[in-house]
Amino acid sequence: MARKLIDVSELQIERRKFEPVLPDILKNGAASVKPVEGKITQSVADQSKIKEIFKNIYGLPEITFKKGTNNAVVEKAVKVAVVLSGGQAPGGHNVIAGLFDGLKIANSKNTLIGYLGGPSGILENKYKVISEKLLCGYRNTGGFDFIQSGRTKIETPEQFCLTKNNLLMSNVDALVVVGGDDSNTNAAMIAEYLKKEKLDKCVVGVPKTIDGDLKNEYIETSFGFDTATKIYSELVGNICRDVNSAQKYWHFVRLMGRSASHIALEVGFKTQPNIVLIGEEILEKKMKIVKIVENIVDVIVKRSQADKNFGVVLVPEGLIEFIPEMKKLISALNDALAENANAVAGINSAAGKKEFICTKLPVELSDLMKSLPSGIASQLMLDRDPHGNVQVSLIETEKLLIEMVHKKLSELKKENKYRGKFSAITHFFGYEGRCGIPSNFDANYTYALGYNAAVLVLNGLTGYLSSVRSLALSPKRWECGGIPLTMMMNIERRRGKEKPVIQTALVDLNGSPFKEFVKNRDKWALSESYIFPGPIQYFGPADVTDMTTRTLKYEQSEK
């Protein structure tokens, strides 16, 4: 008799039984929550420009939730839409679950719909009505496959008008945008447009990105960061154990993180490899790529003198954008490619495109472009993403480093200053971490963010980002509320034009996490202090299953 195939794993079955822990302030529903206004806010930079763009939602107060009674906002039934925007992050489905439960507990007549395929679903008015029957199989799961995601950006007058018309046509009272810095900037733009049009519709954001770069005092971490770094740490830990077993290879591991090195730093804490490159430090010290290579070579040579021709190097995905000379080149390329898009598109060969674009760059940047290996130069000229960013996940920085390290070691060998062996292996861990089953922390955090967003929506608090904080404490003690989206914004140059965008949070070189790293990295460099965290633990002692990131631990140890 043939065995019956199953469509879910044993772990999936168990995770369906997991019940997220709500913060105490939310556990009795929106009717028992009172929003309290705090200080009036302003943007983190470029205040006059941001205020001019967001005339209707700029300067909103901070919102903190306190205990209340019989909040009348739950009496009117509302229809809320949710959209997943940008790249995936573990826990997205629990945001939807928390939002759904928060709405239904407040009023069983409330309706939640999910736009399909990201923001394009809003423009095409494609959605599904979310029911408990549809949602139950997605609780505590990874991925965004319930309603899918997308990177369409709503930015033209025609798109804003279409968004308005579709919200009106579907009788949607509020829109919840789950996304990163660019997606939540887009949420603010939609909120501003609807206010300008004098429509009583609410737009609320939820902070999502595994990169960890959407954070501040009120957004202590973006969801998915905890799970993704645990997944990467298992893989890097396995490599550390392998390298210590074979003792003959140098592994260069590139980790996701487009604009900040938070992932590399956290995985560094969890595994303690020999070298962890932090882009923000490289930028602060204005290090050229030659200097970075010399630092790596210095560790390789010192280890070889102890007959240790092996090690592990962590490279943040966005490293190339932190190197000042490369940062200038990329910025110039962004403008040159935008201004000469048609001409570049008409050139068939990569060499021809490189030759043409070099004529559009300042002399020193043109020389730098010409000096790069053809593969890296071609990758720098790839099409930008819809937000105008270089697709750094396609730039193989680790291979560039290996090529330059190998060349430097060969020179040292000729000078009789290096007698070791250098064999390198490359890895890129990126998409492996984006759709993992969320850790207990992320399952709790995302559910709370969604439920919290429901309370913001029911109170008509448009232009806010769902904020759940004090995350190093137990979930019951987490604090909830909202912060204005405009509070996090500055002006950046995108596709040759100045655009408002939520400011990217970089690794703080004066913060406790980085200081802790600096205190330990010299020891890690020359020893085998490797840690092997293993896979995510969902069941067992709380010290193992419910721990937060090392980053949060170090940041909040000062409080």
Side-chain angles (χ1 to χ4, degrees), residues 24-193:
D24 283 344
I25 188 65
L26 300 178
K27 68 179 182 181
N28 292 322
S32 299
V33 175
K34 178 184 178 182
V36 177
E37 293 188 359
K39 65 181 181 182
I40 298 298
T41 63
Q42 60 180 4
S43 59
V44 292
D46 307 307
Q47 286 84 12
S48 60
K49 290 183 179 180
I50 299 296
K51 185 176 182 179
E52 178 63 24
I53 295 168
F54 297 97
K55 294 184 177 72
N56 295 283
I57 65 168
Y58 187 85
L60 296 172
E62 300 168 8
I63 296 294
T64 303
F65 290 155
K66 302 294 183 184
K67 288 185 179 180
T69 55
N70 302 320
N71 190 336
V73 298
V74 303
E75 295 174 3
K76 179 187 174 184
V78 296
K79 187 175 185 179
V80 179
V82 62
V83 63
L84 302 176
S85 180
Q88 291 76 258
H93 290 151
N94 265 27
V95 173
I96 298 174
L99 179 60
F100 179 85
D101 291 350
L103 292 171
K104 289 294 185 181
I105 289 171
N107 187 330
S108 61
K109 294 180 181 179
N110 286 338
T111 302
L112 179 64
I113 67 171
Y115 281 114
L116 304 178
S120 63
I122 301 174
L123 301 176
E124 297 166 10
N125 209 28
K126 291 182 178 179
Y127 62 85
K128 67 166 68 169
V129 177
I130 297 173
S131 65
E132 176 55 37
K133 183 177 179 181
L134 287 175
L135 184 59
C136 67
Y138 290 90
R139 290 175 182 266
N140 309 313
T141 63
F144 281 6
D145 46 309
F146 182 44
I147 57 174
Q148 299 88 48
S149 185
R151 294 189 180 275
T152 299
K153 192 169 185 181
I154 298 173
E155 57 183 346
T156 67
E158 294 78 16
Q159 288 175 321
F160 284 123
C161 185
L162 187 56
T163 296
K164 177 189 73 173
N165 291 339
N166 286 342
L167 292 176
L168 288 169
M169 186 189 308
S170 302
N171 296 313
V172 171
D173 297 294
L175 174 66
V176 175
V177 178
V178 182
D181 49 2
D182 285 316
S183 298
N184 276 296
T185 298
N186 213 184
M189 297 293 288
I190 295 171
E192 172 65 21
Y193 177 79

Side-chain angles (χ1 to χ4, degrees), residues 486-515:
T486 56
M487 179 182 173
M488 305 170 66
M489 288 189 183
N490 67 346
I491 296 291
E492 292 182 13
R493 196 165 181 80
R494 298 286 179 89
R495 292 184 180 271
K497 297 180 180 179
E498 287 191 339
K499 299 279 188 179
V501 66
I502 290 175
Q503 188 179 65
T504 299
L506 303 178
V507 170
D508 181 3
L509 301 184
N510 294 312
S512 295
F514 183 74
K515 288 179 179 178

Side-chain angles (χ1 to χ4, degrees), residues 378-414:
S378 296
Q379 289 165 5
L380 285 173
M381 292 191 296
L382 289 171
D383 289 339
R384 272 43 181 165
D385 70 17
H387 301 294
N389 302 311
V390 174
Q391 299 188 69
V392 292
S393 64
L394 302 179
I395 301 174
E396 298 171 318
T397 316
E398 73 281 16
K399 293 184 178 180
L400 172 64
L401 292 174
I402 287 171
E403 184 176 325
M404 296 182 72
V405 165
H406 192 276
K407 182 179 178 181
K408 182 64 177 177
L409 289 173
S410 296
E411 293 172 359
L412 292 176
K413 210 159 216 178
K414 290 177 182 177

Side-chain angles (χ1 to χ4, degrees), residues 266 269-270 272 513 531 548-555:
E266 178 65 26
F269 283 134
K270 283 181 163 68
Q272 298 183 176
I531 297 177
T548 59
T549 60
R550 297 288 181 90
T551 304
L552 273 173
K553 176 185 173 183
Y554 293 133
E555 283 175 343

